[in-house]
């Protein structure tokens, strides 16, 4: 038996779909739940009311993230399916014109015209719709829309992220809910930003700073609103 000498590579773009949804969900879970807890605490609510509000925010936020991600990604999938259906019809109606179109794309990318025609012919003989989907429409396996996967990743990661500030708020003394929740949540956000940046091949420090800054801003504004309305009431 001959062994395969094919070189297998794994690229970070292969994880872009689930990584984006998971990071967005966890980040939103931490920020929104921590901001909600801090805002309600700043309004003078009891410890029990703070925790009840946080649990309600966790459940509502997880469901909202799942539904929103599913609808959004499904719209992308519908658009991709419509484009591919149109491309199939064009391939059936005039395959030679589609072959010339594909060859022109390869010429624009730097191939000689004769070689471009040969490549287009062979790729279309192997998988015509795959070649046009990838090289004409820009639809690849790594970036194809997966609504269910994105919805599940967003829901699960939001709940996991929201549980962190909830656990801190539950364990913190009633008079120290705001500093404990805000401080630990910012630490969680910085860690999440750094891990996500490393997984995506970006700067860990920049990734951590981005989520830290926006998380601190969100909590500060929510605390200010809670204090204002708590005083008015």
């Amino acid at each position: 038996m001959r062994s395969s000498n094919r070189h297998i590579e794994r690229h970070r773009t292969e994880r872009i779909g689930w990584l984006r949804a998971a990071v967005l969900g966890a980040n939103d879970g931490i920020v929104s739940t921590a901001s909600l807890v801090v805002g309600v605490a700043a309004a003078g609510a009891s410890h029990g009311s703070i925790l009840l509000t946080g649990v309600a925010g966790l459940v509502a936020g997880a469901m909202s993230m799942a539904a929103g991600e599913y609808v959004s990604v499904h719209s992308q999938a519908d658009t991709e399916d419509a484009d591919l259906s149109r491309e199939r019809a064009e391939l059936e109606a005039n395959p030679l014109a589609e072959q010339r179109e594909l060859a022109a794309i390869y010429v624009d990318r730097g191939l000689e015209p004769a070689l471009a025609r040969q490549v287009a012919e062979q790729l279309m003989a192997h998988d015509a719709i795959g070649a046009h989907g990838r090289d004409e429409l820009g639809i690849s396996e790594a970036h194809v829309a997966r609504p269910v996967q994105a919805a599940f990743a967003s829901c699960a990661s939001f709940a996991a992220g929201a549980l962190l500030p909830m656990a801190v708020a539950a364990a913190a003394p009633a008079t120290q809910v705001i500093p404990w929740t805000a401080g630990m949540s910012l630490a969680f956000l910085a860690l999440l930003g750094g891990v996500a940046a490393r997984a995506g091949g970006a700067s860990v420090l920049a990734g951590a700073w981005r989520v830290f800054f926006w998380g601190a801003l969100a909590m500060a504004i929510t605390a200010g609103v809670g204090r204002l309305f708590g005083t008015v009431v």
Side-chain angles (χ1 to χ4, degrees):
M1 179 184 295
R2 291 188 306 170
S3 61
S4 173
N5 293 323
R6 183 181 178 185
H7 177 55
I8 305 298
E9 291 184 346
R10 303 289 294 178
H11 296 283
R12 291 186 173 93
T13 54
E14 295 175 2
R15 13 176 132 133
I16 193 169
W18 65 263
L19 179 62
R20 181 192 65 82
V23 170
L24 176 62
N27 182 80
D28 197 20
I30 296 174
V31 172
S32 61
T33 305
S35 297
L36 186 61
V37 167
V38 169
V40 174
S46 66
H47 198 208
S49 296
I50 293 171
L51 296 180
L52 180 60
T53 302
V55 170
L58 185 157
V59 175
M63 294 299 99
S64 176
M65 284 292 292
E69 193 72 15
Y70 180 83
V71 171
S72 174
V73 178
H74 210 295
S75 296
Q76 177 187 340
D78 290 342
T79 301
E80 291 175 353
D81 289 342
D83 282 343
L84 289 174
S85 295
R86 178 180 178 182
E87 198 63 33
R88 287 189 185 94
E90 292 175 350
L91 283 167
E92 291 179 3
N94 197 341
L96 290 179
E98 291 300 305
Q99 182 177 313
R100 288 194 295 269
E101 183 180 27
L102 196 61
I105 292 173
Y106 298 144
V107 169
D108 290 340
R109 293 179 181 178
L111 292 185
E112 293 292 333
L115 179 58
R117 287 192 296 271
Q118 184 180 6
V119 170
E121 180 181 355
Q122 292 187 10
L123 286 179
M124 286 185 62
H126 174 68
D127 181 9
I129 189 63
H132 281 270
R134 180 181 60 252
D135 296 322
E136 181 183 350
L137 303 177
I139 301 174
S140 66
E141 182 64 25
H143 299 93
V144 69
R146 296 182 176 88
V148 175
Q149 182 190 66
F152 180 80
S154 293
C155 179
S157 58
F158 182 98
L163 281 173
L164 297 175
M166 281 298 302
V168 174
T175 57
Q176 297 294 315
V177 170
I178 294 177
W180 272 96
T181 302
M184 291 302 297
S185 295
L186 290 175
F188 293 143
L189 285 170
L191 179 61
L192 173 66
V195 170
R198 182 171 180 80
S203 167
V204 173
L205 184 60
W209 167 246
R210 278 195 299 266
V211 293
F212 181 92
F213 172 79
W214 288 107
L217 182 63
M219 280 181 256
I221 293 174
T222 310
V225 172
R227 182 64 58 86
L228 174 63
F229 282 92
T231 301
V232 172
V233 174

